[in-house]
Amino acid sequence: MPEASATQPIPEASDSGLAKRFLELFAQPLIAFATALIIYLLRARFNAYGWNRTEYAFFNYLADAFLHGQLALRDNLEQVRDLVIYEGRLYLYWPPFPAIVLMPLVAIFGVGLSDVLYTAVIGAATAGLFAWLLALADRHGVAPLSASRRAILVLTMAFGSVQLILAPFGTVWFTAQLLGLACVLLAAIAAIGIRGSWGYFLTGFALACAGGTRNALVFNGLWLAYYLLRRDWARPLVWRLRAVAMGLVPLLVLAVLTGWYNVARFGKPLETGLQWHNMALEFVEDYERYGFFNVHFLPINFHYQFWGYTVFSDDRWKGGGLFWMTPVLLGAFAGWWIWRRNGLTWALVASCLLIYIPIGLLFGTGYITFGPRYLLDMMVPLVLLTALGIRRWPLWLLLLLLLISCATYIYGSWQWWEIFRLL
């Protein structure tokens, strides 16, 4: 990890053979993208909705509202679950960046645009972006790793994580999570791959887009800022100050626009409409007693997101232990231990912890989904930590862990087909 001031390199386990050469194909971004897209689209074809728009394509309606110069949805929807009902109008409490992205498509195809199709494309794009990021991390010494091991991480994320559940199903929830992940990946790619002050600006811009999709994603800025400043510390102070300012401008614009958006809808810059949120009935009692964020939810969330093995139980729709369901990510602990004297390692860990604070305190574990979907928000720093930790792990072990991950989520995807029809 030369750019992160590692003291000594760790030799990588040697691999050879057909499996290694085959795996290396999936370390290429375009192949990773194309493979994921084909599988996601095939899986989506067998859903209750097929490739058609779901009832929860709410970003389509918000994009349509923006195109007509208003913030409330124009149509009276039959399905209003999770929408904000305020003064007789319908709003979204989710940040609006996905709707902004969709505006050109909605202008052409209308609100009937299939959220299943564009969510599958976004999900496949994240597979390609993971391959691109890991290649850059290897090239620049941030997380040196062979192509075969990088491919295992890419395949794990595409088919052995909750992404396999989210990408083929559309809906406002899943679209936001995958687009937010894609934006964080772009921010990391810009930080590592683009030198000069424009790299700071593009990192901040992509991170602002992530925050405009899911607020907690801006906490990825901690490790990104550490990496950029540590790498460029030898540059003149004036240059660094100018570069930091360029990186902060998009985030300040995000803060101003978010405040204006909330004031224009609900009269207060920090009001997102959650208090008028048309939540599912199973959440009402907890909300009335504890609110949206409370330490009461922390042990419950921790159990269903990290500890509980729920795959074959009735609780599987509340989530599941991340490291049971995607065991390749156990390499993150090895990465932390091996590189524990390195500042970037601690910045990655701290980012994961900061991202988890609102997740851990939030009422609801990501229900109703197979797998801990909220933890996708911390996946970029977690995957980089994993890349640091699996350098010496034998390829057969990594393949076994990949097989366990994929088998778990293929089973979950089959189970999810039935439950999704009940939403």
Side-chain angles (χ1 to χ4, degrees):
M1 215 156 56
E3 290 190 357
S5 67
T7 56
Q8 62 182 59
I10 297 175
E12 186 164 10
S14 60
D15 305 312
S16 61
L18 182 61
K20 173 180 177 293
R21 292 194 295 273
F22 177 72
L23 276 173
E24 288 175 349
L25 294 172
F26 300 100
Q28 300 177 39
L30 287 178
I31 292 179
F33 166 75
T35 303
L37 182 60
I38 291 169
I39 291 177
Y40 292 161
L41 289 177
L42 286 174
R43 176 64 187 87
R45 190 67 184 87
F46 296 98
N47 293 340
Y49 293 100
W51 291 339
N52 299 314
R53 185 198 64 185
T54 73
E55 294 179 284
Y56 300 93
F58 296 149
F59 285 127
N60 289 11
Y61 294 96
L62 185 59
D64 173 71
F66 289 166
L67 288 167
H68 288 83
Q70 62 187 64
L71 304 180
L73 305 190
R74 295 196 315 129
D75 294 315
N76 294 320
L77 307 184
E78 293 183 7
Q79 179 57 259
V80 295
R81 176 179 175 181
D82 263 6
L83 290 177
V84 173
I85 304 174
Y86 178 72
E87 294 185 348
R89 296 178 179 177
L90 295 176
Y91 298 91
L92 275 66
Y93 70 81
W94 300 276
F97 180 69
I100 295 172
V101 172
L102 292 173
M103 284 172 67
L105 293 175
V106 171
I108 297 171
F109 299 106
V111 293
L113 177 70
S114 172
D115 55 325
V116 172
L117 292 181
Y118 63 66
T119 303
V121 172
I122 295 169
T126 66
L129 291 172
F130 265 116
W132 189 4
L133 173 61
L134 290 169
L136 285 173
D138 173 62
R139 187 181 313 149
H140 291 279
V142 176
L145 200 62
S146 67
S148 57
R149 285 171 171 74
R150 298 199 309 268
I152 286 175
L153 288 179
V154 172
L155 292 170
T156 295
M157 288 309 304
F159 310 118
S161 78
V162 72
Q163 192 163 312
L164 183 64
I165 306 297
L166 308 187
F169 285 93
T171 76
V172 64
W173 309 284
F174 300 172
T175 299
Q177 287 219 256
L178 291 170
L179 183 59
L181 175 62
C183 291
V184 174
L185 285 163
L186 287 170
I189 288 167
I192 297 174
I194 301 176
R195 302 300 176 118
S197 56
W198 278 105
Y200 286 71
F201 174 79
L202 292 174
T203 299
F205 179 78
L207 193 61
C209 293
T213 304
R214 288 179 63 81
N215 299 138
L217 292 175
V218 297
F219 290 126
N220 280 279
L222 176 62
W223 76 267
L224 289 167
Y226 179 89
Y227 170 77
L228 287 168
L229 291 172
R230 177 66 185 85
R231 184 191 67 190
D232 295 329
W233 199 251
R235 289 182 181 266
L237 177 61
V238 173
W239 186 96
R240 282 180 279 146
L241 291 174
R242 183 174 67 250
V244 169
M246 289 180 67
L248 288 176
V249 164
L251 295 169
L252 293 174
V253 171
L254 170 68
V256 171
L257 290 178
T258 299
W260 170 84
Y261 183 59
N262 290 335
V263 168
R265 296 183 301 164
F266 308 120
K268 298 179 181 178
L270 299 180
E271 178 58 69
T272 62
L274 277 172
Q275 61 178 303
W276 303 288
H277 166 214
N278 183 38
M279 67 186 69
L281 293 177
E282 55 265 34
F283 297 126
V284 172
E285 182 178 352
D286 277 347
Y287 167 70
E288 290 178 347
R289 186 172 182 181
Y290 300 107
F292 280 103
F293 295 96
N294 196 293
V295 292
H296 167 80
F297 302 119
L298 186 58
I300 302 169
N301 287 329
F302 188 87
H303 173 79
Y304 284 113
Q305 292 163 350
F306 289 106
W307 183 250
Y309 185 77
T310 61
V311 174
F312 301 109
S313 75
D314 292 338
D315 282 347
R316 59 184 174 274
W317 309 124
K318 296 181 180 180
L322 176 68
F323 301 108
W324 297 115
M325 301 177 76
T326 310
V328 177
L329 296 176
L330 287 167
F333 295 101
W336 164 74
W337 180 254
I338 293 168
W339 297 101
R340 62 191 181 279
R341 292 185 176 86
N342 185 273
L344 180 59
T345 302
W346 286 103
L348 291 167
V349 171
S351 290
C352 288
L353 293 175
L354 281 175
I355 293 166
Y356 187 69
I357 289 173
I359 295 172
L361 298 178
L362 179 67
F363 83 116
T365 62
Y367 180 86
I368 184 172
T369 313
F370 183 90
R373 70 178 176 94
Y374 287 158
L375 299 190
L376 205 62
D377 291 356
M378 65 170 63
M379 207 52 67
V380 175
L382 195 63
V383 166
L384 288 175
L385 285 168
T386 301
L388 291 171
I390 63 173
R391 186 173 171 82
R392 292 290 296 163
W393 289 19
L395 194 61
W396 67 264
L397 175 60
L398 293 172
L399 286 170
L400 176 61
L401 297 178
L402 172 63
L403 180 62
I404 293 171
S405 302
C406 291
T408 298
Y409 278 96
I410 290 171
Y411 167 78
S413 184
W414 169 60
Q415 292 282 298
W416 174 245
W417 186 87
E418 286 295 334
I419 199 70
F420 184 81
R421 300 195 319 179
L422 303 177
L423 284 177

